[in-house]
Amino acid sequence: MGGYFSDLFSGTKSLLDGMWVTLKEFPKRPVTLSYPHESLKMYARYRGHIELIGDEENKPNCVVCGMCERACPSGCIHLAGEKPEGGKKKVLTSYTLDFTTCSLCGSCVESCNFDAIRFSNEYNLASTRKEDFIIDLLKRLEEQDK
Amino acid sequence: MSLTLLNVVLAVFIAICFVGANAAYLVWCERKGAGFYQRRPGPMENGWWGLLQPPIDGVKLMTKQLLIPGGVDKAIFMVAPVLAMFPALISFVTIPFSDNIVAHPIDVGVLVIFAFAALGGMSLLVAGWGSRNKYSMISSVRAVSQTVAYEIPLLITTITIVMISGSLNLGDIVQQQLDGFLSWNVWPLHKEVGFNLLMPVSFLILFVCSVAETNRAPFDLGEAESELVAGFHTEYSSMGFGLFFMGEYANIVIGSCLITILFLGGWSCPFGDLGIFPFTHNVGWFLLKIYLIIFVFIWIRWTFPRTTIYGLLNLSWKYLIPISLFNLLLTAGLLKVF
Ligand code: SF4
Ligand code: SF4
């Protein structure tokens, strides 16, 4: 018989305490986001796939040295450039990233001495098609920062 | 004769509509409630505030294939969902929503409801047995031991009330609680028994038993998803599952109707009959009370984790049954004295 009534009372009290806790949450606003309609802004240090950095006129900083292409252990980067007539520097004509095999290791970003690539904040990447992950970064540069 | 038959058919039809609408929209309330208690918005996508969700779910359930797994006992398997839904419907026929809104006032209304409630427990056993699935079987064994354990305090508490009011007719039980909320059976002070401190406790016992009888969390051991897949309705798809689901919600409504009638004065206005419209004894109060109770059901479900089977049986056999028995004896003594 020992503890019978004290169990009863402490049990009832703890149940009521629990109900009070949930009741206090009931009228509050949701803490969740309706994901496809609204999404969180990603933190600045988030490491998404890489993207090109442009100058003021949104021209890529890249000098087509090819270091990143060589640094990538998975061979995800393919770039090409050409020297325009009369120009001194090479100009980037295409820069594609094959994100399907990228391991986000960062070698490319580290190897670039011209501040031309960085990690993006892109995380909404779900797709059912493989081609969506072969990303044309040059085209992306035209659209980003707008 | 034919008129009474028509009456009953009409009543059952209305009951089906009431139960169907309630089942559908209580699911919505349940999901909204769950959302709010967990700081989520709940269903939002279909219709304003997700209000179109229940009909869409219904259509989805109805268009799915009714799969009958190989090796099941087909007749039993098919009859179980019907057995889950149909007693709840019948029970509605005897429930008085107000002094003139009752399909068929039966003098033994309380007995009818309990008889059919027992049939509901039977459907779980039949479903588990017919499914030929060990998880379903374990689940139905649990559900039945739970039903047995909780039906006893439920009945004893009800008998206490029946003794006080001297009638098994649900309408008569309410008739005695019409003088404002102090005359409700939930209070210790009562003109028949003088002062019985255990009446609020009895109310709590009846409440806990209704939660357990409807197999709701934290007493939903019958369908403990973490251990038994989905319990007795593991093998059911389409409307077979739908009927179990609707039966569960219909039972919730019945349970809250019963609590309201036995302890909270049924359709009576809490301030007594003041003669001005909302403050007369009318069906509005009844609905308000049952939905408040259902809100508490939802609240409990989303607050507490599932108990263990031993905790569940201990609660009933060690606490609820002795206390309700004690109150029965006390009430009997008080009735003799006063
Ligand atoms: S992060 Fe690594 S794997 Fe990805 S593109 Fe750069 S070097 Fe290649
Ligand atoms: S390392 Fe930098 S500058 Fe060189 S090709 Fe890659 S992105 Fe362009």
Side-chain angles (χ1 to χ4, degrees), chain A residues 28-75:
Chain A
K28 293 186 192 163
R29 300 231 356 110
V31 289
T32 53
L33 248 76
S34 313
Y35 168 61
H37 307 306
E38 37 181 10
S39 52
L40 280 177
K41 190 158 167 27
M42 199 27 87
Y43 303 103
R45 292 180 61 193
Y46 179 78
R47 289 166 63 134
H49 68 70
I50 54 167
E51 65 183 9
L52 291 170
I53 306 176
D55 54 15
E56 295 86 54
E57 295 140 41
N58 222 17
K59 292 267 175 302
N61 285 348
C62 174
V63 296
V64 204
C65 68
M67 286 301 284
C68 51
E69 192 172 18
R70 246 169 288 147
C72 179
S74 322

Side-chain angles (χ1 to χ4, degrees), chain B residues 38-306:
Chain B
Q38 299 169 350
R39 308 279 303 273
R40 297 183 281 114
M44 271 302 199
E45 293 297 315
N46 297 315
W48 186 77
W49 267 52
L51 272 173
L52 283 179
Q53 194 70 44
I56 290 173
D57 283 346
V59 169
K60 178 204 140 198
L61 273 179
M62 279 185 253
T63 49
K64 287 222 161 176
Q65 188 189 1
L66 184 58
L67 207 74
I68 300 177
V72 302
D73 196 330
K74 210 168 161 190
I76 289 185
F77 185 80
M78 295 303 285
V79 97
V82 181
L83 215 52
M85 186 65 195
F86 148 89
L89 282 179
I90 298 288
S91 302
F92 268 104
V93 172
T94 68
I95 285 182
F97 286 82
S98 108
D99 49 0
N100 47 16
I101 308 179
V102 47
H104 196 74
I106 302 175
D107 276 342
V108 288
V110 177
L111 278 185
V112 170
I113 287 188
F114 282 111
F116 281 107
L119 217 58
M122 173 97 161
S123 80
L124 308 187
L125 177 66
V126 165
W129 179 257
S131 290
R132 197 156 182 263
N133 170 325
K134 58 188 168 196
Y135 298 116
S136 302
M137 192 65 223
I138 295 173
S139 147
S140 57
V141 170
R142 280 183 180 187
V144 169
S145 64
Q146 177 177 345
T147 308
V148 170
Y150 280 86
E151 206 127 279
I152 299 170
L154 189 66
L155 281 172
I156 296 174
T157 311
T158 311
I159 291 172
T160 314
I161 296 296
V162 167
M163 263 169 35
I164 292 174
S165 51
S167 168
L168 281 168
N169 186 327
L170 293 167
D172 290 352
I173 294 176
V174 176
Q175 291 292 351
Q176 301 180 343
Q177 308 176 54
L178 289 184
D179 312 327
F181 75 104
L182 283 176
S183 66
W184 293 355
N185 284 331
V186 60
W187 303 115
L189 218 51
H190 197 276
K191 59 178 182 290
E192 299 285 336
V193 290
F195 188 77
N196 182 353
L197 202 59
L198 281 183
M199 285 320 275
V201 178
S202 277
F203 168 71
L204 277 184
I205 291 177
L206 188 78
F207 196 90
V208 172
C209 291
S210 325
V211 178
E213 278 283 293
T214 47
N215 284 316
R216 277 177 69 81
F219 301 120
D220 58 344
L221 281 137
E223 43 180 291
E225 304 91 348
S226 51
E227 36 202 282
L228 297 180
V229 194
F232 53 85
H233 58 61
T234 304
E235 302 291 353
Y236 287 89
S237 53
S238 178
M239 258 344 244
F241 168 75
L243 281 180
F244 274 119
F245 211 59
M246 280 172 70
E248 183 185 326
Y249 281 94
N251 278 327
I252 292 166
V253 179
I254 302 251
S256 49
C257 286
L258 208 60
I259 296 173
T260 308
I261 289 168
L262 293 182
F263 278 98
L264 298 179
W267 62 84
S268 75
C269 169
F271 316 107
D273 197 342
L274 300 184
I276 321 158
F277 167 64
F279 300 107
T280 53
H281 301 315
N282 63 49
V283 61
W285 291 108
F286 188 82
L287 294 178
L288 181 72
K289 287 171 193 170
I290 66 171
Y291 287 118
L292 273 180
I293 291 173
I294 290 172
F295 174 76
V296 180
F297 274 177
I298 294 175
W299 179 10
I300 288 176
R301 168 155 182 190
W302 299 103
T303 300
F304 301 126
R306 186 177 296 131

